[in-house]
Amino acid sequence: EVQLVESGGGLVKPGGSLRLSCEVSGFTFSNAWMTWVRQAPGKGLEWVGRIKSTADGGAINYAAPVKGRFTISRDDSKNTLYVQMNSLKTEDTAVYYCTTAAESGHLSDWGQGTLVTVSS
Amino acid sequence: SYELTQPPSVSVSPGQTASITCSGDKLGDKYACWYQQKPGQSPLLVIYQDSKRPSGVPERFSGSNSGNTATLTISGTQAMDEADYYCQAWDINTEVFGGGTKLTVL
């Protein structure tokens, strides 16, 4: 059974930092392309970024609103995906989901999400 | 930047066919997919690569994509299909989501 479990969310002040983790099981993580998607309270889905598998070069792409502030990484030995979030803004408040990503772009499996609240 | 446009809401009677559209420039040249999200739950992929259904998704869900419009069709809509639906496409190293459509079954 495929499982993705996010952790690390919480309350942080504007300008602060937070690192989210996503531990996966049930599939070969090292072969998987992975993404982060977020959803602000009561709003729609917003793509954050994608990392290819190490075998495919590990290239990373980011959405414009987070580029330069967020860093996506992976540790294949721990079956874990990360996103380091710096210089957080109130508009970064959202539930953050990790997902598997196909080359054609669709996101097959989703975690339960972790809530990040940026507020003073 | 690339944009996908969905109607904010669609209503359908039980047993009838619901159609939700997603519009974008030359969307038919890209792969479109659709997600269902019920309150308090994570999104669920219901259609990928325009018209393919993941294992476990009921046959009443179907999709098409041509020109500038992708369409999600739910035949014989059931009360359990009431949810938010999002389209999504991949454009030059960026995933793009539509704004979402609230499907009401009444």
Side-chain angles (χ1 to χ4, degrees), chain B residues 63-79:
Chain B
S64 63
N65 184 17
S66 179
N68 294 323
T69 304
T71 303
L72 173 69
T73 302
I74 309 173
S75 304
T77 307
Q78 300 182 10

Side-chain angles (χ1 to χ4, degrees), chain A residues 5 10 14 25 62 72 89 119:
Chain A
V5 180
S25 59
Y62 297 96
I72 295 173
K89 307 175 182 180
S119 175

Side-chain angles (χ1 to χ4, degrees), chain B residues 20-56:
Chain B
I20 301 174
T21 58
C22 174
S23 299
D25 185 48
K26 297 180 182 178
L27 180 56
D29 292 343
K30 311 177 192 300
Y31 276 134
C33 56
W34 292 89
Y35 304 90
Q36 175 194 68
Q37 187 179 34
K38 296 181 179 179
Q41 297 184 16
S42 301
L44 173 72
L45 179 70
V46 293
I47 294 291
Y48 69 99
Q49 291 182 5
D50 298 336
S51 59
K52 297 179 180 180
R53 273 181 296 105
S55 174

Side-chain angles (χ1 to χ4, degrees), chain A residues 45-107:
Chain A
L45 302 173
E46 181 184 22
W47 179 74
V48 172
R50 180 185 80 170
I51 183 168
K52 292 184 178 181
S53 66
T54 304
D56 287 328
I60 307 170
N61 301 105
Y62 297 96
V66 307
K67 197 168 186 178
R69 300 188 298 123
F70 288 16
T71 301
I72 295 173
S73 62
R74 63 192 300 155
D75 186 335
D76 291 345
S77 68
K78 295 182 178 179
N79 286 349
T80 302
L81 175 72
Y82 303 99
V83 59
Q84 175 69 43
M85 305 185 296
N86 299 330
S87 303
L88 283 162
K89 307 175 182 180
T90 55
E91 52 263 43
D92 295 319
T93 293
V95 173
Y96 285 73
Y97 297 100
C98 71
T99 88
T100 57
E103 285 190 51
S104 61
H106 62 273
L107 311 177

